[in-house]
Amino acid sequence: MEQKPSRRAFLSAAAGAGGLLLAGAGPASATVRPARSGALARDPFTLGVASGDPSPDGFVLWTRLATDPLSGDGHGGMPGRDVDVRWQVAADERFTEVVRSGTETARRTRAHSVHVELDGLEPGREYFYRFRAGGHLSPVGRTRTAPSASAARGAGLTFAVAACAHYEHGYYTAYRRLAESEPELVVHLGDYMYEYGPQGYTALGGGVREHTPGKCETLADYRMRHAQYKSDRDLQAAHAAAPWLVAFDDHEIENNWAAGVSSTGAPAFARRRAAAFTAYYENMPLRRSSVPGGASMRVHRRVDWGPLARFHLLDTRQFRDDQACEDGVRAGCDDRLSPERTLLGADQRDWLLGGLAASRARWNLIGQQILMAQRDHRTGPGSEVNLDSWDGYAAERTRLLTGLRDSGAANPVVLTGDAHMHHAADLTLDFDDPDAEKVAVELVTSSVSSDGDGYRDESRVSEIVAENPHISYLDQRRGYILCRLTEEELRADFRVMEYISRRGAPARTGARFTVPAGERGLDPR
């Protein structure tokens, strides 16, 4: 009997050129016909493949054709015409059992991106997919459908949480290690790409790689920058390993933007937002419900994982009031306490609380972008807080956490990005009272690469925890979170790496926390 390839071997093949499955396709290969629009002289699958937003009977498949990803017009070197793309979904990695196939048109007006929304598949099972265009075969992706609503909860779910991947600051080793962790789902919480020009944001990193020329302002700029990021083989491996749930933060458009307000006072900001949203949709495995309408785009949505979990994905940019007191980390900003200030907007807040109240899932996982727990950055008397985070919208945070408590939703856990360091925290109705009621747990992932090589400053961590006793853990190293969810508990492994300025760093668990079902606080074990 033929030995089944290991998952590690699959990831290696998927990140390459797809040759393994070209040679071993068997009878299914006869069903793949050349695109009607003719052959392409060069491989168009340089940006890899991806899948996302799984449902019990389907998911989204994605690819974008680009023979020259960094072509200055943003069209990836593709000809000035539409291209037919064949796709296949199989029950096995050798494609001997093809279950669905079809043709989609990669349109030049959409930067030759392809989004295939599938339904009618079996719930709760693994599938493999690939594309063919212009005589070339894509790498192979692994994906899966969500369990049905009536499925047993016992199977559990392994998922990863990631965010913040500045291309210039280091290599994407975290994405490679994440892929090797074999998650069934990846939750990416923003700053997938950065809009700065070359060395435009040095911070603690910079110099490892260089951005495409100029700051992103036009549609061509954003398309080319996404193509540069998507060209990374470690990122491609992470996309090929599992379906993703994605939502943007600020840098997919501009640092610290707020609704219609540019943080830099850039003119024609609505036009820039529209360009950025268009490029974001073109480069992400999103459903048609997220197709932008000019300068607006819907990314807040719910994804169910059988009866075990409901993911509530939020948008913390499009509906917020401008940051108080001119933004930044500041002391003495009374405006941030105003009950009139909103971060989510009334409609989205009601949508979230209504979905929580109606949820029958064992776990309710709220994916959002910015630190929800209060964090005092000052050591000693007084306080300084980040006004771009929930600390800048304190009254709405209290309303939200009160509504979360009163919703009756089982086992709420907030998943967060943006902070560039790991946090594990308890969310309470009064962060200044150590005995205040705990409402939920917050797990904050460090960055994939933003801020360059990380570090572990034990004395600084001790100072921060002393000022913020509801925060149990911080780590300034790069990494991601790997979660194992069962009916009884959520276990979170905070995965860290010592360096990213060169390739090949191992990942290890810096800390592990569990959240027992029925509890609203962290258990450090």
Side-chain angles (χ1 to χ4, degrees):
M1 187 173 93
E2 184 178 358
Q3 184 176 6
K4 182 177 179 179
S6 68
R7 286 177 176 255
R8 184 67 60 87
F10 166 77
L11 291 170
S12 177
L20 167 66
L21 294 164
L22 179 62
S29 61
T31 68
V32 182
R33 296 184 297 273
R36 290 173 296 172
S37 50
L40 297 170
R42 298 169 63 183
D43 178 15
F45 295 109
T46 57
L47 307 184
V49 300
S51 67
D53 279 18
S55 66
D57 68 343
F59 34 70
V60 180
L61 303 181
W62 173 93
T63 193
R64 178 185 163 199
L65 308 183
T67 56
D68 179 10
L70 301 189
S71 175
D73 65 356
H75 283 283
M78 293 296 293
R81 54 179 168 82
D82 298 343
V83 176
D84 282 355
V85 179
R86 290 282 293 170
W87 55 267
Q88 290 181 315
V89 174
D92 67 305
E93 58 263 58
R94 294 191 179 277
F95 284 75
T96 57
E97 188 183 345
V98 174
V99 296
R100 295 285 293 277
S101 63
T103 300
E104 289 286 329
T105 301
R107 302 192 182 280
R108 181 173 172 80
T109 55
R110 284 294 189 192
H112 292 97
S113 61
V114 174
H115 296 75
V116 182
E117 288 191 37
L118 284 168
D119 56 20
L121 298 173
E122 295 180 22
R125 67 152 297 160
E126 188 175 71
Y127 288 96
F128 301 85
Y129 62 96
R130 62 182 179 182
F131 302 88
R132 182 190 287 272
H136 299 270
L137 193 65
S138 77
V140 173
R142 183 195 304 268
T143 190
R144 63 175 53 245
T145 51
S148 68
S150 59
R153 293 171 176 165
L157 168 66
T158 299
F159 68 93
V161 184
C164 304
H166 196 300
Y167 185 84
E168 293 188 325
H169 286 186
Y171 295 110
Y172 287 168
T173 311
Y175 281 141
R176 175 66 62 172
R177 300 294 172 252
L178 182 156
E180 293 167 352
S181 299
E182 302 176 2
E184 297 164 275
L185 187 69
V186 176
V187 182
H188 197 287
L189 295 172
D191 293 348
Y192 183 95
M193 53 78 74
Y194 281 67
E195 83 286 11
Y196 297 114
Q199 304 303 312
Y201 167 39
T202 55
L204 303 178
V208 175
R209 304 188 281 190
E210 188 166 288
H211 270 160
T212 53
K215 183 178 181 178
C216 292
E217 296 180 334
T218 68
L219 179 55
D221 294 337
Y222 284 106
R223 283 171 166 171
M224 185 164 55
R225 186 63 57 79
H226 273 285
Q228 181 179 42
Y229 278 56
K230 275 289 201 307
S231 297
D232 185 275
R233 292 300 182 92
D234 294 334
L235 174 55
Q236 289 182 17
H239 272 300
W244 284 38
L245 307 181
V246 300
F248 54 70
D249 190 16
D250 55 339
H251 288 289
E252 290 89 347
I253 295 87
E254 178 191 72
N255 179 49
N256 282 21
W257 66 282
V261 180
S262 165
S263 63
T264 62
F269 186 57
R271 185 186 311 159
R272 185 176 174 192
R273 271 178 54 184
F277 288 161
T278 295
Y280 186 77
Y281 175 79
E282 290 170 348
N283 286 277
M284 294 293 156
L286 288 164
R287 295 184 179 271
R288 286 185 292 272
S289 56
S290 292
V291 172
S296 65
M297 179 179 184
R298 185 181 177 106
V299 293
H300 65 280
R301 60 202 190 279
R302 278 185 271 273
V303 174
D304 288 334
W305 197 266
L308 180 65
R310 170 169 283 186
F311 289 87
H312 311 256
L313 295 171
L314 302 186
D315 176 347
T316 58
R317 289 291 160 187
Q318 282 194 87
F319 311 110
R320 65 157 69 192
D321 290 325
D322 194 13
Q323 291 89 345
C325 302
E326 300 184 356
D327 206 352
V329 176
R330 298 185 185 277
C333 177
D334 291 338
D335 286 351
R336 75 182 184 89
L337 305 175
S338 168
E340 305 302 318
R341 292 182 53 74
T342 184
L343 193 147
L344 296 179
D347 289 346
Q348 184 181 194
R349 187 177 64 248
D350 291 347
W351 168 87
L352 172 61
L353 294 177
L356 288 166
S359 176
R360 298 296 175 264
R362 178 68 166 173
W363 295 87
N364 285 274
L365 306 166
I366 302 170
Q368 54 99 53
Q369 291 71 41
I370 53 174
L371 187 65
M372 188 172 287
Q374 177 175 290
R375 179 175 164 185
D376 181 1
H377 289 251
R378 176 181 289 184
T379 301
S383 65
E384 291 181 340
V385 298
N386 180 0
L387 299 175
D388 185 61
S389 74
W390 278 93
D391 279 333
Y393 305 80
E396 184 176 51
R397 175 175 59 195
T398 300
R399 289 198 301 274
L400 177 64
L401 291 176
T402 301
L404 174 59
R405 180 198 63 186
D406 296 343
S407 72
N411 300 311
V413 175
V414 176
L415 308 173
T416 301
D418 183 64
H420 300 183
M421 63 177 68
H422 287 318
H423 293 64
D426 293 322
L427 298 176
T428 75
L429 297 181
D430 184 354
F431 291 101
D432 295 320
D433 178 2
D435 298 321
E437 179 185 3
K438 295 177 181 179
V439 173
V441 164
E442 183 175 20
L443 306 175
V444 184
T445 181
S446 186
S447 62
V448 168
S449 61
S450 301
D451 288 348
D453 282 342
Y455 57 95
R456 175 70 174 164
D457 185 340
E458 297 287 356
S459 62
R460 179 57 182 154
V461 167
S462 297
E463 291 176 353
I464 296 171
V465 171
E467 292 291 332
N468 303 273
H470 52 279
I471 299 176
S472 299
Y473 170 69
L474 296 101
D475 199 312
Q476 302 97 331
R477 289 170 291 189
R478 309 285 74 83
Y480 58 95
I481 306 174
L482 188 66
C483 296
R484 178 62 183 170
L485 190 65
T486 67
E487 196 171 0
E488 292 77 26
E489 67 177 22
L490 183 152
R491 186 188 71 200
D493 287 358
F494 287 86
R495 303 288 284 168
V496 297
M497 291 169 299
E498 299 297 332
Y499 59 87
I500 57 166
S501 56
R502 59 190 190 278
R503 297 186 186 275
R508 65 179 185 82
T509 298
R512 172 178 292 171
F513 289 86
T514 62
V515 183
E519 300 294 330
R520 298 293 175 109
L522 292 162
D523 183 0
R525 60 179 173 88

